[in-house]
Amino acid sequence: MRQAGCTLALIALVLGLTSAPAFAERNLVPPHERSFNVCPDRPAEPKWMQEIPLRQAYQRVLVQDIYRAHNLERIVETESCDCEIRFPSWDAAEAEFHEQHASDERWKMLEASDAYNQRANDVRLEAKAICETAGNW
C-alpha cells in the first residue's frame, strides 16, 4: 500500500511539473490588441498582410520594410516627427509593393527588403534624434 501511495505522489509531482511550463507559456503570449506608448493611434497593418500564409511571410516583411524606410526618410525630410508623419496610412507602402514587387520571385523580394532596410538604417539615427526631441521615439 505504501508503494502505491508513493507512486501516486510521484505521478502527481510529474504532472504538476509538466503542466507548469505550459501554463507559464500561455501567460507570455501577448494580447492580440497592441497598445503603444508613442503614437497610440497608429494605423493597423492592412488585413491581407495580417492574414498572409506563413510561407509567404517575406511579402509582409517587404511591405513593412518599405513602410519603415519611407517613414524614417519622411521624418528627416520634414524634420518633423508628428504621429501622422512617423506612422501614416499603409497606402503608399502597399502601392509601392504592388506596383514594383508583387510579381517578383521570393529571392528578389528578399533583396528588396535588404535595400529598404539599408535605406532606413542610413537615416535612422537622424530620424531618432528628431523624434526624441518631439517625444515620439
Side-chain angles (χ1 to χ4, degrees):
M1 191 68 155
R2 184 168 183 233
Q3 188 176 15
C6 288
T7 303
L8 287 176
L10 183 59
I11 290 171
L13 177 64
V14 168
L15 288 175
L17 291 176
T18 58
S19 65
F23 177 74
E25 284 179 19
R26 270 181 284 175
N27 288 337
L28 295 176
V29 175
H32 290 292
E33 294 296 321
R34 296 176 61 185
S35 62
F36 303 97
N37 293 333
V38 174
C39 300
D41 294 331
R42 59 182 79 174
E45 285 184 350
K47 190 169 178 110
W48 71 269
M49 286 175 57
Q50 296 172 16
E51 296 174 349
I52 201 157
L54 187 59
R55 288 185 176 256
Q56 297 167 335
Y58 58 90
Q59 294 176 5
R60 179 181 186 184
V61 170
L62 176 53
V63 180
Q64 291 170 336
D65 291 340
I66 294 168
Y67 184 80
R68 179 174 171 258
H70 285 200
N71 298 350
L72 291 175
E73 289 169 342
R74 190 173 18 265
I75 290 166
V76 172
E77 288 168 9
T78 63
E79 296 184 7
S80 172
C81 193
D82 292 341
C83 291
E84 299 77 30
I85 292 173
R86 183 159 183 213
F87 299 106
S89 79
W90 286 81
D91 295 345
E94 267 189 290
E96 186 164 332
F97 171 79
H98 288 297
E99 291 168 10
Q100 297 182 24
H101 305 287
S103 61
D104 289 347
E105 292 187 36
R106 180 180 180 272
W107 66 269
K108 189 133 175 124
M109 287 191 195
L110 294 174
E111 284 183 347
S113 277
D114 286 343
Y116 285 107
N117 276 320
Q118 185 60 52
R119 284 174 50 182
N121 289 338
D122 288 345
V123 295
R124 184 182 180 280
L125 292 178
E126 193 174 351
K128 181 180 179 184
I130 294 167
C131 290
E132 283 179 334
T133 300
N136 278 344
W137 190 259

